[in-house]
Amino acid sequence: MAKKIKKLYAGMMMGLSLSLLLEVIPAEAVSGSITEYESVVRTESNTNVKAGIGENADTDSDDYILNIGSVSKMYAATAVMQLVERGKVELDDPVTDYIPEFKLEDARYKDITVRMLLNHTSGLMGTFYGGAFLFDEKSKEYHDTFLKRLSKEHLKADPGEFNCYCNDGFTLLEIIVERVSGQSFTDYVDEYICKPLSVTETGSVWNMDMDRQAPIYINGNVRLGHEYCQLIGAGGILSNASEVCTFGSAFFTGNDVLLSGKMKKEMAENNKAGGCSESFGLGWDEVEKEDYKKAGITVLSKGGDTDYQHASLVVAPDNEISVAVLSTGGGSGTNEKIALALMDEALLEQGISVEHNDEEKPELLNTVPDDILRYEGLYANTNMTLDISFPDKKYMRVVSVTADQDFEEQFMFTEENSFIKMNGDVASGNAIVAQPMESYSFKEQDGQVFLMDSFGGCSLYKVGDKKVDPAVQKAWDERSGVTYYLVSGAYSDESYFMNNKIKLVTSKAAPGFVNGYVMQDENHAGYDFIIPGTVSRDISDLRMEEKDGKEYLCLDDLGWKCISEKDIPEYTSELKKVDLKSKEASWYRIDGVKNETIKLEVPDAAAVYVFDKYMNVKYSGFMKEYGYSVPLPEYGMIVFLGETGSTISISR
């Protein structure tokens, strides 16, 4: 097996600056080194491979731990199913039976069951991000205030109506485990999952040595502080590839260390609901992979991403193969491709070959049929509105109308009654099929027109005529083009690196819309239609607020509050100090600064971020070895954060 995997890696990683180590070892698992990728294959045989890919490929993977992101959901799901097996939890009981104080500003919350949390059909808005990811800090605040924050939300769909990926549902499952067991979630996982598996390098920020977390880099070689995920059940488990692989082996047929076959079978059943394309199990992302299904092989998968760390776990329970790939770069989708390629090699060792036929490019046509032309018009999702047209009946043109960045995409019609995305200009004949290939088609259902992707999921819905009060339209038009900057995060909140601004956009071509939201009044916007499926995950209504003469954009369901750029002062050399307020960031515009370097005196529990004009992070105290001497960009932004009563001093 070693030679095959070596060839596989060399082919997949060609062109990347990565090294490779492979050796056969007398152990039960295949484990990997870390700096870029760590991968493990566990099979029923005693032949094992250790594979490391990265700058330090000769470093033992056990020297590091990584945050496995949403693969953590499988640990939460396992914990719940253990309690089901012990008769302490019923899957179809209401969540309120286990968390009496759980409530929303929506009476339908009483209908949410434990099963709906596990299969992503709860109808919850998605994820409360405020304080979810912190640099170099752990805090109980996210966990302890979660139910209070959730109580102010409403549902985006009837419970059970359709699948839509939801982190908040697994934070509720984390709390259910704690209420029923009487233990913290971390302690429960340690006692009932880690100890039975004899793994010692798996846990959360509450019991792991975070100095052993794999290093995180941005901008090529700039090392960041450690990433602390606070929503443990939804995404906060830390481990290494070897132990994640061991966890995956607990789902092998006949392995009853954690769960009985009956419980695992229920977890692996397809819970598809509401016509969605997802094939969620209970915890699993996918319980049916078509290529493997055709070969008679059951493959279960779960992926996970934090901002900077990524994971994939794939398991073939009947064939006793578990593969885990963890990384500090890339993404869970890339990791899963590697994991499935390794899965194929392990299956070959059993004499099983799985065919993965490349998607064939259908014949492109130069004419769009007349019956398709009626689909021309305005479309929307939860983020933006777009205009779809068919110029000269030759191709489909999709143009942004209310999006924070302008774009145009072109698609050619095919003999399969679908549209294929093109790169270039179709009208001039200078266009080629975009890679990877993207295919879309139109579908009518219950009086609604959808643009569907090649997986059968809804991407956009066609918008009907909107009637909006002129005063309401005017209020939002005055905000069009204005960017709002995050102010509500703690000094260590990763959102200041990743999600620190939102731009509002309206258009005469889409009356009544701001971005993908429908105007409700001068200060509120929401949704009049939610697309079924994960395309509608992690959403929030908009609420505008004025305080002390300043305007704020509030996305309460996401935990974000942002200040208008119109109310952000210009940074000048006269600024000597900034008095800090807890969760109330102080932003300044850098406009025309010439060759200025500042020296900062930053107290504990405080931070400064400097951005260039493209909002790329140029400086942060969480960038290791950067010190407090900071050259400013000519144009950009600077933000100061910390606790009330503290001050950041600035000298030159």
Side-chain angles (χ1 to χ4, degrees):
M1 186 188 288
K3 290 183 179 179
K4 291 181 180 179
I5 294 178
K6 183 173 183 178
K7 180 179 178 182
L8 172 70
Y9 268 128
M12 294 189 67
M13 297 301 169
M14 189 176 296
L16 298 181
S17 178
L18 300 170
S19 59
L20 177 64
L21 172 69
L22 285 154
E23 60 177 304
V24 177
I25 58 173
E28 292 184 74
V30 179
S31 63
S33 166
I34 297 266
T35 304
E36 284 288 343
Y37 285 90
E38 174 188 342
S39 62
V40 176
V41 182
R42 174 180 290 253
T43 73
E44 83 290 356
S45 72
N46 291 319
T47 301
N48 307 283
V49 179
K50 181 174 182 177
I53 300 179
E55 295 175 5
N56 300 315
D58 58 341
T59 302
D60 195 303
S61 65
D62 291 341
D63 289 344
Y64 290 119
I65 55 174
L66 287 86
N67 196 314
I68 63 173
S70 287
V71 176
S72 307
K73 290 181 173 65
M74 284 308 303
Y75 293 73
T78 298
V80 170
M81 296 305 285
Q82 286 178 334
L83 295 172
V84 170
E85 193 154 28
R86 294 175 198 148
K88 296 183 176 182
V89 171
E90 293 289 338
L91 287 176
D92 296 310
D93 280 351
V95 173
T96 51
D97 283 2
Y98 305 100
I99 313 176
E101 67 271 41
F102 166 60
K103 63 179 180 179
L104 305 176
E105 288 188 351
D106 187 323
R108 294 176 293 174
Y109 78 89
K110 299 175 184 178
D111 298 328
I112 300 175
T113 66
V114 177
R115 186 188 301 275
M116 293 172 187
L117 301 180
L118 286 163
N119 65 19
H120 302 284
T121 60
S122 66
L124 292 166
M125 294 295 273
T127 308
F128 191 93
Y129 281 106
F133 297 93
L134 306 177
F135 281 120
D136 288 338
E137 183 181 38
K138 57 187 175 185
S139 170
K140 293 184 178 180
E141 181 180 0
Y142 187 93
H143 174 279
D144 293 349
T145 61
F146 178 77
L147 292 174
K148 181 178 180 181
R149 293 193 306 265
L150 206 62
S151 68
K152 300 176 182 180
E153 293 188 9
H154 59 269
L155 294 175
K156 61 186 170 191
D158 288 337
E161 183 178 351
F162 59 76
N163 304 107
C164 185
Y165 197 87
C166 179
N167 284 316
D168 285 350
F170 277 78
T171 300
L172 285 172
L173 290 169
E174 173 188 339
I175 295 172
I176 288 175
V177 171
E178 293 181 331
R179 296 296 176 85
V180 174
S181 71
Q183 297 175 279
S184 72
F185 183 75
T186 297
D187 287 345
Y188 183 94
V189 169
D190 185 59
E191 181 173 350
Y192 291 100
I193 295 178
C194 296
K195 288 181 179 177
L197 294 175
S198 298
V199 297
T200 59
E201 303 299 326
T202 298
S204 77
V205 296
W206 297 107
N207 66 348
M208 299 298 286
D209 178 4
M210 295 300 289
D211 286 337
R212 292 182 51 222
Q213 190 180 59
I216 298 169
Y217 295 91
I218 63 169
N219 300 345
N221 61 354
V222 179
R223 185 168 177 174
L224 293 182
H226 296 309
E227 184 178 44
Y228 285 65
C229 179
Q230 314 300 312
L231 51 167
I232 311 301
I237 295 294
L238 294 123
S239 191
N240 58 41
S242 179
E243 294 201 356
V244 174
C245 207
T246 297
F247 172 73
S249 72
F251 292 90
F252 289 175
T253 301
N255 185 331
D256 296 336
V257 173
L258 297 183
L259 291 167
S260 69
K262 179 181 178 182
M263 292 294 102
K264 290 185 292 186
K265 181 180 178 182
E266 183 145 23
M267 294 175 74
E269 290 179 357
N270 193 334
N271 278 241
K272 185 180 294 188
C276 293
S277 60
E278 292 87 353
S279 59
F280 290 122
L282 300 184
W284 296 108
D285 283 345
E286 287 187 272
V287 295
E288 291 183 0
K289 289 185 176 292
E290 199 60 35
D291 289 351
Y292 294 93
K293 186 177 179 181
K294 289 178 181 177
I297 307 297
T298 296
V299 172
L300 312 171
S301 67
K302 184 73 192 82
D305 299 272
T306 63
D307 287 335
Y308 298 102
Q309 298 171 87
H310 315 279
S312 173
L313 171 64
V314 296
V315 178
D318 297 332
N319 303 82
E320 297 186 336
I321 301 170
S322 174
V323 187
V325 179
L326 314 185
S327 68
T328 55
S332 62
T334 300
N335 291 8
E336 182 173 298
K337 290 179 180 178
I338 297 172
L340 290 174
L342 290 169
M343 172 72 73
D344 288 351
E345 292 296 323
L347 286 169
L348 277 176
E349 293 293 308
Q350 300 180 16
I352 301 170
S353 177
V354 179
E355 295 294 327
H356 302 290
N357 296 321
D358 293 334
E359 189 174 5
E360 294 183 8
K361 184 182 75 174
E363 182 180 346
L364 302 177
L365 305 177
N366 292 318
T367 302
V368 178
D370 289 342
D371 65 329
I372 298 293
L373 302 180
R374 60 196 171 98
Y375 295 128
E376 190 171 72
L378 191 69
Y379 286 74
N381 58 26
T382 54
N383 297 312
M384 68 190 87
T385 61
L386 307 99
D387 179 70
I388 293 181
S389 61
F390 306 99
D392 299 322
K393 300 183 181 181
K394 292 183 177 180
Y395 64 98
M396 181 170 74
R397 180 172 179 257
V398 179
V399 180
S400 60
V401 177
T402 62
D404 58 4
Q405 292 185 350
D406 294 336
F407 65 87
E408 175 183 331
E409 295 179 342
Q410 297 182 5
F411 302 78
M412 288 191 70
F413 194 66
T414 76
E415 60 181 1
E416 296 180 356
N417 207 38
S418 63
F419 286 89
I420 300 295
K421 184 178 178 180
M422 308 295 291
N423 283 337
D425 181 58
V426 175
S428 66
N430 297 312
I432 60 173
V433 175
Q435 295 297 327
M437 193 165 68
E438 295 182 32
S439 174
Y440 296 88
S441 59
F442 291 95
K443 176 183 178 180
E444 294 186 44
Q445 181 176 313
D446 300 327
Q448 182 69 60
V449 176
F450 297 100
L451 184 68
M452 312 293 291
D453 63 29
S454 57
F455 301 102
C458 303
S459 297
L460 300 167
Y461 74 98
K462 190 173 185 182
V463 174
D465 293 334
K466 297 291 178 190
K467 293 184 179 180
V468 57
D469 186 294
V472 172
Q473 183 73 50
K474 182 174 182 293
W476 289 101
D477 284 345
E478 289 174 351
R479 300 175 181 123
S480 184
V482 177
T483 299
Y484 295 77
Y485 291 83
L486 179 68
V487 295
S488 58
Y491 81 99
S492 57
D493 197 320
E494 282 185 25
S495 295
Y496 284 100
F497 271 83
M498 306 294 292
N499 302 292
N500 53 28
K501 63 185 178 68
I502 299 169
K503 182 180 178 181
L504 296 183
V505 181
T506 65
S507 171
K508 291 181 180 179
F513 278 89
V514 52
N515 298 57
Y517 302 87
V518 176
M519 302 171 190
Q520 296 170 337
D521 58 35
E522 287 91 338
N523 293 310
H524 296 85
Y527 305 99
D528 65 347
F529 183 80
I530 300 293
I531 300 175
T534 294
V535 67
S536 297
R537 68 172 283 183
D538 297 346
I539 62 176
S540 175
D541 292 342
L542 299 185
R543 177 176 63 86
M544 307 305 301
E545 175 181 290
E546 275 206 25
K547 183 179 179 182
D548 299 329
K550 299 176 182 179
E551 185 179 58
Y552 296 90
L553 168 63
C554 302
L555 293 92
D556 298 319
D557 302 321
L558 299 177
W560 291 333
K561 180 179 179 181
C562 307
I563 190 171
S564 169
E565 63 181 334
K566 295 180 179 180
D567 295 316
I568 294 176
E570 182 179 343
Y571 168 86
T572 68
S573 58
E574 282 73 39
L575 187 67
K576 306 295 184 183
K577 68 174 185 175
V578 177
D579 295 325
L580 305 173
K581 293 184 179 180
S582 300
K583 297 185 180 179
E584 192 171 330
S586 297
W587 287 87
Y588 291 85
R589 289 180 292 108
I590 301 173
D591 190 3
V593 168
K594 299 288 186 179
N595 302 318
E596 182 171 335
T597 296
I598 60 175
K599 185 174 182 180
L600 301 168
E601 292 184 23
V602 182
D604 292 339
V608 178
Y609 299 81
V610 177
F611 305 88
D612 65 15
K613 62 181 178 180
Y614 303 108
M615 288 305 290
N616 298 312
V617 181
K618 307 305 292 183
Y619 170 83
S620 166
F622 295 108
M623 293 176 170
K624 299 301 182 182
E625 301 176 358
Y626 259 49
Y628 292 103
S629 183
V630 185
L632 298 180
E634 185 174 1
Y635 298 96
M637 302 288 286
I638 184 169
V639 61
F640 302 87
L641 306 103
E643 302 296 325
T644 299
S646 298
T647 298
I648 294 176
S649 299
I650 307 167
S651 59
R652 293 160 179 85

